[in-house]
Structures are given as C-alpha cells and as structure tokens.
Amino acid sequence: MSDIEREVRAVAERARDAAADLAPLSRSVKDEALLAMADALVHNAEAIVAANAEDVARAREAGDTEAMVDRLALTTERIEAIADAVREIVELPDPVGEVVRGSTLPNGLELRQVRVPLGVIGIIYEGRPNVTVDAAALCLKSGNAALLRGSSSAYSSNTRIVEVLRGALEKTAVPVDAVQLVPGSGRDSAQALMRARGLVDVLIPRGGRSLIQAIVRDSTVPVIETGEGNCHVYVDEAADLDKAVAVTVNSKTQRLSTCNTAETLLVHAGIADRFLPRVLRELRGLGIAVHGDDRVRALDDSAVPATEADWATEYLSADLAVKVVGSLDEAVAHIRAYSTSHTEAIVTDSQSAARRFVSRVDSAAVMVNASTRFTDGGEFGFGAEIGISTQKLHARGPMGLPEMTSTKYVVTGDGHLR
Amino acid sequence: MSDIEREVRAVAERARDAAADLAPLSRSVKDEALLAMADALVHNAEAIVAANAEDVARAREAGDTEAMVDRLALTTERIEAIADAVREIVELPDPVGEVVRGSTLPNGLELRQVRVPLGVIGIIYEGRPNVTVDAAALCLKSGNAALLRGSSSAYSSNTRIVEVLRGALEKTAVPVDAVQLVPGSGRDSAQALMRARGLVDVLIPRGGRSLIQAIVRDSTVPVIETGEGNCHVYVDEAADLDKAVAVTVNSKTQRLSTCNTAETLLVHAGIADRFLPRVLRELRGLGIAVHGDDRVRALDDSAVPATEADWATEYLSADLAVKVVGSLDEAVAHIRAYSTSHTEAIVTDSQSAARRFVSRVDSAAVMVNASTRFTDGGEFGFGAEIGISTQKLHARGPMGLPEMTSTKYVVTGDGHLR
C-alpha cells in the first residue's frame, strides 16, 4: 500500500466513525452546524480569497482561458453567495427519519421503513470551489460524512475552505470529520478513494465525461453516474409550430454548457418543410451552427453535413445536430441509439403521440411540450441537488436530499416468534 | 473477445431489445404470459424431471451429499409447487406505472415521477432450479428482461425449464427473449455477463459469500449484494426473561441455514447470570453448540472458547457465538465491527434502550422484541422477493417487485420555457 493510499484510507476511516456519530443527530443540531459553516465562510472570506488567488495565478501561468479562470475565481461577493446557498439548505426538510412506508402485519408486528443516511459519500469533482461547500452542506444535511476530492487546479482554495468549515464544526455537536478533504491532488489519491470499498458507501463524480467514465471503470466503491446529457428535442408531425420553435430554441440556447441543453433536434418529415426554415433561421440568428442530414441541408445550405459522431456528441457548445425522421418510432429508435438517457422532449399536440413517446423513451426525464432545460433539482422544487443521475439504480434524474439516503426496516414486536 | 464472450453479449443484446418492447406492456399482458408459463411448466413436468435426472445423476457421481442432491432434485409435485408460486406472482400488483411522487410546479408544469422497469436484470445463482422460474417470473412481472446464469450442477434442468418458459411466451405478446439462459456453464460465461456493462442494468447474485464477493469484485455491471447474514440478538439488561429466551431460541433454531438466522448472541452483564443458564440449557437441548467468551464459559463449561473468527462467521449451522457485554453501547460497537448489516435484534422492555439501539445499529432490518427470522419478503407482506439486499444503494432489506424498478420523471407543459 502506497503512502497516499494509506493516508486516504485513514481519512476514510475517520469519515466512517464520524458518519456513525452523525447519523442519529437531529435536524436542529445539523442545521446549527450548517449555519455556523455559512457564518464562518463569510468571516473568513478574505483568507479564502487569498488562497484562491494562488490557484488563479497557477491557472494563468498554465495558460488557462479567461473563462476557465473566471469559473475558478472567488471574490468576497461570491463567497457570500456560497454562504447564502448553505443557508438555503438549512431551510430544506431533513430526509432522515422519514417513514417511507409502514404497516402493521397480520401477526401484530409493526413494520416501518425509515430513511437513514447512506454513511460516507465521496465526491470527485472538477473546477469550481463552490462545489466544495455545496457538497459538504448537502452531505451534512442528509446526515452523511463527506469526503471531498476536488481538482488540483482548486487545491489551495479547497484546502482553505475545508479548514474553515471544519473550524466551524468544532464549536458544534457535529463531528469535525464529517467534512474532510481527501489528501493529495494527483491521480493516485482519487484512485485510493475509488478502492476504499467498505469504508466509502458511494462515489458521486461531478464533472466531464472522461472523469465520470474513468471512475465508473476503476471504482470498486458503488458510483452514481451524473450529468452527461446528449439531450434530444423531437418535433412531432402534430406539433404547434410556435411552441415547437420556442421549445427548441430555449432547449438549445438558454444556456449552452449545461447537461440539460439539447444537442440534437429530430423533426418529423411531415412538418419539416414548415418548421425547419423558421427554427433554423432563428437558431442561426442566435449563433448556433447546424449539423444536418441530407434532408436538412436541402432546406438550409448553410448547415454542415452531420456525421455519425455528431449524433453521439454532447457538444456543450453553439452546435446542434438536426435530423429529419419518418415517424415517431424512428425518433425513438434514434434516441435509444444515441441518447445518454438524461432528458428528451417531444413537442406535439397529439395525445397518442405524447403517450407513445413517454412510454418508449427510457430517460431520466421526458418532457412533453416543455424545454429540456427544466431537468434540474431547483426547477423540480427539490431545493438543491448534488447532481443529475443518468443511471437507473438508486436514483435517477435530479438528486435532492432524499436521494442521498438509504432506508432501514424497523420492526417492533412483543416477543414475536416465527 | 472469446467465443463465449461474444455469445453472452449477443444474448444480452437480445435481452436489451426485448426489455425495450417489454417495458410499455400492460399488467394484463404480463399476467397472461405468467399464467402461460405456469401452465407450460405443469404440462412439461415429465420432460423437466427427465432433464433434472441427468443433473441428479451427475451430482451423485461427483459425490454430493444426499442433502445437496435433494435440493437439486425435481419431482412432478415440486414442479406443480413452482408453477403455483408463479400464479401467486400474478396476483401481486404491477409496480410499473406507479406514480411515486407528483406535483404541479409554480409555473404550471406537471411533474410526475413514475416507476419504470430497470431493463435487463442478470441473476447469477447456485443450486436449486426453482430459482430459474422464480427469478424469470419476478423479472417479467416487473417488466424486466431476465438473463439467468444458474450453476453448472443444474444446467440440464435449467436449460429445459427455460425452453419451456420461452415456448410459453411464444404464444403471448411478451417477447420470447425476455427470458434467456446465459450460454455456457463455466466461469468465463459468468465473467462475460459481469462485463456486459451498458447491456445489463444490474446483476443480482443469489448464493454464498464467495460467489457474491467474487461478483462484487469483478463486475463492471452494478451489483446488488444479497443475503449474507451474520445476524445478532442483543439481550438488554431490561429484557423480559421469557421473551428473551424465546426470541433467542427462535432466531437461532427455527431454521439453521437461512440468512436471517442469528449467529451471535450478545448479553448485557446485568442480566447474564439470570438469562444465560436458562437460554443455554434450552439451546443445548436443541443441539446448538455454544462458542462463548470467558464470562459465558464461567457460567457454562460445555461452551467452547470463542475466537475472533467466531464473531465474524455466518455459521449457517447449529453453532452460536455468545458474548457478555458491559453496556448497550458495547453491543452496538460489537455489531458495527462484525455484522454484515442484515438483521439485528434487541430484546428489552426499556423504551430508551430500544430507541438507542434502533438509531445506532445500521442494518437493513432492526428488530425490537422480535425474532431475526422475520426479515423476509413474505413475512413483510411483499408477497415475493428476489433476495435480501445487505447494501445501502438502491434497495435495502427484502427486495420485492418495486425494488426491481427504477423511475423516470415525466414533465408535461404547454410550451413551457426557462
């Protein structure tokens, strides 16, 4: 076992012990600790900004773009906003202790299925240091110990932020080791975290495709895949033209770089002549480059030819793949072949078309006459999310606090025997 | 890619296609197919018994014990009982389509979280051929395609049973490939199944510890761990003596070889003098061998000394490890150190002791004044179970039909934009 592996396991063992002490704590104890964390962030804002300046300087030296540097940079105002986000988590209900189902069995045994924390949650994430606070707060609120493994680019910021959060916990009943940074910033420390099966209950990666796929491949700790979104809008033959244009444009352009942004537009052949010229003109006006199949290019010669890769790509950019399909079922088949099962939308006024699309498309969220951009914990009213799961086990779609828990059965009798 | 790997992937791809067609089918279609399967088993009972005779002969040649041969053997009566179990599954509600939660968002969007099948479920199991039918029926009822990988010892029986089940599906609207046997009976075919990530949604192993641990280690497909039960009974200082004896004896002796059988008894020092002589006398009368710590052996010199291994062992035999503890918290600490987190019981008349035990013990089921033997899908009123999950992600405790599903969000608007 390497030194870093030994260090990571030691941290994970402390997290395991902290999780056991954290699990039975009541909501009020956890909320006080969260408020103390928010206050400490504001009080120590200048020290955090100073640590962040080291990361920013390193990023500039490494030649990062100004957009990347801006994502990394913290200011006093940004830290206040991060603290406010923690205060919003305080307001959310505590999922722990919720009775998910309960009954009295025929023999008089009282059966209750109760929400309990998962235990130790490892978060492996890229980029922005606000995720450090956000993940720690969501874990604490749901009674879980957090093992935070941020990117090396934010290592100074993350180190100082976690010091501040742990300092705040020292004055509360929450164990300090409920929030820990995983030591090291190299690949070996992430690998050690992925191998800590039995100590870490789940890993939630937050970042790009390559990060997530590497973790899924290498981790023996169970992983919840999040965030990859090759999302589709299908405009049905029976669509209202105005709604179809509006939903398509909003799904693609309201924000280019999010996982719920549409990347492919599928159009029924029966409406293509009327719909495509309008929507493509509008998209072009907003700076979107269209990658089209032959039928699209026959209607719009500025479109570049779509290749096989275009159908499979999550652009996260001002690009859109566009294809004309002969039927709803052809759209469904295309989605099955290429989608990452995040979010797909249909625009139609036909009840039967909507019903068929909803039942045949197997994605975390299926939108009917609504923008793909709505797949979001905040929009769904969950208050906060740790990520959007694109897998089918445990949690699917936006993961709020209840998705960060497990359950246990509590069975109460009076000397009951079988 | 080896031949067997290619074969297994081809089977998994057919399962994937079948799952897509199976998912939208209504309950009545699935129930008709299940009834056809039950009828076909009865009609083909003699052919199945003949195939089973080959497995039985092979087991006898290999020198299996008569108990093992009996577990493997099928008779016409046993096949009728297996068919009846399928008919009972028909009576259970269909989890698919259940609206788990729903609301209308402030902007008027209708949000519904709906149960959907997981897709393709792989079952890797040992021994008894009745599991073949049981797993296939539970998967079909919950809208999932089943990939069945039984042990080589039951290969002839399983092959014939799956032929009969698929023959029954041919006359129904359920795709025949919803039920498939994984080709091959060697380790390479199981390995290929474990590597079919993207084609198989979840693997559920049913069998002994070494089988399950091997799958957890090697599988890139998500696994639900089932069944390992190093279960504890803790007799508190405030226990009613009669109930404590009855619950202990029932937990240990009602059936020796099940996962919810108690393997360790923890006794509070304040009640040990009164409780232990009584319970040990009764257990000895039932043929149970006691492995005790020093304090136990001081009260009962027929007990053999318990070693570290005894605390960690799921005996599945007429053995019981017994330890005297100084406090409830010491019992909880022992359980945390050695339990497989399946089922633990406390016997006490103290509300505060029960409350503390329930909140501190992190197991799939926690019993208060009731036998550990109650952790069971049938006893819990779920009607049937595919296994008992001892992990925290996705499902914990007895897994009924709802635990064999995922969910999807269906969001309906009227041209809603963000």
Side-chain angles (χ1 to χ4, degrees), chain B residues 83-153:
Chain B
D84 283 343
V86 174
R87 293 192 183 100
E88 281 170 28
I89 290 170
V90 170
E91 300 302 317
L92 295 175
D94 183 351
V96 174
E98 186 198 343
V99 178
V100 178
R101 63 177 156 185
S103 62
T104 301
L105 301 179
N107 60 8
L109 274 180
E110 289 167 34
L111 178 71
R112 295 198 312 284
Q113 186 183 20
V114 183
R115 278 201 195 285
V116 296
L118 280 167
V120 177
I121 298 183
I123 323 268
I124 300 184
Y125 55 102
E126 289 170 338
R128 292 184 293 172
N130 66 313
V131 175
T132 307
V133 177
D134 194 42
L138 288 168
C139 286
L140 200 164
K141 178 81 186 197
S142 52
N144 295 290
L147 282 181
L148 304 162
R149 174 56 174 68
S151 70
S152 53
S153 65

Side-chain angles (χ1 to χ4, degrees), chain B residues 25 87 168 235:
Chain B
L25 294 182
R87 293 192 183 100
V235 174

